[in-house]
Amino acid sequence: MDIVDKNIDNGNAFDWGRMSAEYAKYRDIYPQKFYDQIVYRGLCVKGQKILDIGTGTGVIPRNMYRYGGEWVGTDISKEQVGQARLLSKGMNIKYFTVATENINFPDESFDVITACQCFWYFDHQKIMPELYRMLKPNGRLLILYMAWLPYEDEIAGQSEKLVLKYSPDWSGAGETIHPINIPKCYEEKFDLIYHNEYPLKVYFTRESWNGRMKACRGVGASLSKEKIELWENEHKNLLLKIAPPEFDVLHYAAIAELKVKK
């Protein structure tokens, strides 16, 4: 399903469903430290019911399932949800194909609602009251993010330049360490009680880094098959020149915890 937002990629359409198989294979990359930051906050653990909006291939529910929480995941893409169900075999995780703006679980259904790598895609004026409604008293809204740092890491920077060559309107470039932006409308129903931003290294091989870059919005989710093939051939050749067979890419992660107002 094509998504068009004038504030993203200059309004160019993208569809995560086109890259669901690659997304599933190459974007489940968060280091243990990423999950530790969540558990240290006492979130997404045993005794809690959690809704993961924009779940994609279910990366957050699948990786945090071992902590004992009861998970539900939703995503607008049926292909992404299909991958999530396949990869969650044997886990009691419920997935639904639905746009976040149309989610309609009963009042006070969840202790925690998570949103990872997807918060900026939503209509916040519409979903904020619904997220508030679906959270229990004292509930938490947890926003998560991780991105490579192109100015500090040469491999990330060179790969990013190549994405921009083929997708010049891609607005995912140029990341620096900064807090997650929380739209002002959330101040009506939530208090921001914690945020943290921290660097971390993520391990890759040439193959997995190529796959990670291919599965970004500026390549696989938006370019034609012909352009994807051209980009991939050029990117693989670039990596042979600038990257060893195995390497770390410097990223940063960010977390923002919002608490339901009394």
Side-chain angles (χ1 to χ4, degrees), residues 1 14-28 55-59 62 75-87 97 211 214-216 219-222 228:
M1 178 178 178
F14 59 95
D15 178 6
W16 289 118
R18 295 171 51 191
M19 292 296 290
S20 290
E22 289 85 354
Y23 199 108
K25 185 175 181 179
Y26 295 115
R27 292 196 57 163
D28 189 350
T55 197
T57 61
V59 172
R62 288 189 284 109
D75 199 276
I76 195 172
S77 168
K78 65 179 181 180
E79 293 86 0
Q80 294 281 74
V81 169
Q83 287 290 333
R85 288 174 175 153
L86 181 66
L87 293 167
T97 302
K214 183 179 179 182
C216 82
V219 182
S222 57
I228 292 173

Side-chain angles (χ1 to χ4, degrees), residues 174-191:
E175 276 286 0
T176 58
I177 297 178
H178 64 275
I180 295 170
N181 177 46
I182 307 298
K184 192 171 181 61
C185 64
Y186 284 85
E187 295 177 4
E188 179 184 348
K189 299 290 188 180
F190 294 89
D191 290 318

Side-chain angles (χ1 to χ4, degrees), residues 8-9 145 147-148 150 160 164 169-175 217:
I8 299 172
D9 302 345
Y145 184 62
W148 61 77
E160 189 172 274
L164 289 168
D169 290 322
W170 177 53
S171 54
E175 276 286 0
R217 194 179 65 238

Side-chain angles (χ1 to χ4, degrees), residues 1-237:
M1 178 178 178
D2 280 348
I3 299 172
V4 178
D5 186 325
K6 65 181 181 180
N7 297 312
I8 299 172
D9 302 345
N10 200 28
N12 292 329
F14 59 95
D15 178 6
W16 289 118
R18 295 171 51 191
M19 292 296 290
S20 290
E22 289 85 354
Y23 199 108
K25 185 175 181 179
Y26 295 115
R27 292 196 57 163
D28 189 350
I29 57 173
Y30 303 110
Q32 183 59 41
K33 183 178 180 180
F34 184 88
Y35 299 108
D36 289 343
Q37 292 287 317
I38 300 170
V39 177
Y40 290 159
R41 299 297 301 167
L43 300 175
C44 305
V45 294
K46 187 175 181 179
Q48 296 177 349
K49 187 171 182 180
I50 311 110
L51 169 64
D52 186 43
I53 57 176
T55 197
T57 61
V59 172
I60 299 301
R62 288 189 284 109
N63 282 281
M64 299 210 70
Y65 187 77
R66 66 188 185 272
Y67 297 108
E70 182 182 347
W71 285 89
V72 176
T74 61
D75 199 276
I76 195 172
S77 168
K78 65 179 181 180
E79 293 86 0
Q80 294 281 74
V81 169
Q83 287 290 333
R85 288 174 175 153
L86 181 66
L87 293 167
S88 300
K89 189 175 181 180
M91 302 179 187
N92 186 23
I93 303 173
K94 297 180 176 67
Y95 292 105
F96 300 93
T97 302
V98 58
T100 298
E101 289 77 7
N102 297 329
I103 294 172
N104 190 30
F105 292 103
D107 293 0
E108 300 183 8
S109 292
F110 301 101
D111 299 283
V112 184
I113 296 177
T114 58
C116 184
Q117 303 294 112
C118 59
F119 195 56
W120 50 88
Y121 294 129
F122 304 138
D123 181 345
H124 294 286
Q125 293 288 345
K126 184 173 183 179
I127 73 164
M128 183 277 294
E130 291 300 297
L131 300 180
Y132 174 84
R133 179 187 63 76
M134 291 186 291
L135 280 166
K136 297 177 183 179
N138 206 41
R140 300 296 199 270
L141 175 60
L142 187 66
I143 315 303
L144 303 163
Y145 184 62
M146 188 176 80
W148 61 77
L149 292 168
Y151 302 117
E152 290 88 349
D153 190 288
E154 180 184 4
I155 294 173
Q158 292 298 317
S159 294
E160 189 172 274
K161 286 180 182 178
L162 189 61
V163 175
L164 289 168
K165 174 182 174 181
Y166 285 84
S167 188
D169 290 322
W170 177 53
S171 54
E175 276 286 0
T176 58
I177 297 178
H178 64 275
I180 295 170
N181 177 46
I182 307 298
K184 192 171 181 61
C185 64
Y186 284 85
E187 295 177 4
E188 179 184 348
K189 299 290 188 180
F190 294 89
D191 290 318
L192 176 63
I193 62 169
Y194 176 79
H195 71 89
N196 188 26
E197 303 78 41
Y198 55 95
L200 72 173
K201 294 181 178 179
V202 183
Y203 168 82
F204 290 95
T205 63
R206 288 179 186 142
E207 177 194 356
S208 65
W209 177 247
N210 177 74
R212 169 63 186 94
M213 293 300 299
K214 183 179 179 182
C216 82
R217 194 179 65 238
V219 182
S222 57
L223 295 179
S224 66
K225 290 182 179 180
E226 293 76 15
K227 286 188 176 181
I228 292 173
E229 184 176 351
L230 289 171
W231 174 89
E232 186 165 29
N233 287 336
E234 192 168 348
H235 190 239
K236 286 181 176 179
N237 287 329

